[in-house]
Amino acid sequence: MLDRHVIANLRPVHGAYNLLILMLFWYQAFLGFSIRRARRAGGINLKAVRRHRKTGPLLAVLALAGYAGGAVLGFLDHGRVIKYPFHFFTGSAIVMLIILSVTASRFITYGREEKRKLHLSLGILLLASYALQAFLGLGILF
């Protein structure tokens, strides 16, 4: 079993890691909006499209790892995963939003505006949920 001091030190590491993931999601959103702006203007931002497509799946996996790390840390620290239920269920909702967003992005093709809107809506909901999750996490840390 891990020492209590190690577990106590891992809590802020988990928070910092997921804060970094949150900032990377904001960067991903910036890329998505620049792609959308260029497409609506009749052009294409090819550099942003490539970066958005390349970074998205990687960022999804990193976010899922942060969720799993938090669940493991909660179990090691308290002997159960759901010590902080609102934080846990918000994290679970984030995982579902990530999965749905990645799935929706796979169906985006030329002329399929409804899939783009779904991906956009899921992304906005994901960012809002992540902000709530960060706020809840700060409440746990302090």
Side-chain angles (χ1 to χ4, degrees):
M1 198 62 153
L2 287 175
D3 185 49
R4 299 293 287 164
H5 292 99
V6 173
I7 293 172
N9 290 334
L10 287 176
R11 291 173 75 184
V13 170
H14 168 71
Y17 174 82
N18 281 302
L19 185 61
L20 174 65
I21 298 299
L22 172 61
M23 290 188 287
L24 290 172
F25 268 117
W26 277 104
Y27 173 70
Q28 188 74 349
F30 169 77
L31 289 175
F33 280 122
S34 67
I35 293 165
R36 184 178 181 85
R37 189 177 329 116
R39 185 177 40 78
R40 288 191 159 197
I44 186 165
N45 186 345
L46 200 53
K47 184 178 176 181
V49 169
R50 286 186 183 134
R51 190 167 289 159
H52 189 74
R53 286 182 181 171
K54 183 178 178 183
T55 308
L58 174 64
L59 192 53
V61 170
L62 292 174
L64 296 177
Y67 172 79
V72 168
L73 185 59
F75 182 75
L76 292 175
D77 196 12
H78 303 289
R80 58 184 180 191
V81 176
I82 308 177
K83 167 72 174 172
Y84 304 101
F86 200 51
H87 187 70
F88 178 77
F89 290 122
T90 305
S92 299
I94 288 170
V95 167
M96 290 306 301
L97 287 168
I98 290 170
I99 292 169
L100 290 171
S101 182
V102 169
T103 303
S105 72
R106 299 294 175 201
F107 292 101
I108 294 175
T109 56
Y110 182 77
R112 302 282 306 265
E113 192 63 30
E114 70 278 355
K115 299 298 181 188
R116 292 180 199 279
K117 287 181 182 178
L118 176 62
H119 183 69
L120 172 66
S121 300
L122 290 169
I124 291 170
L125 192 56
L126 175 63
L127 290 173
S129 299
Y130 238 115
L132 173 64
Q133 185 73 335
F135 177 75
L136 292 171
L138 286 174
I140 292 169
L141 270 179
F142 299 110

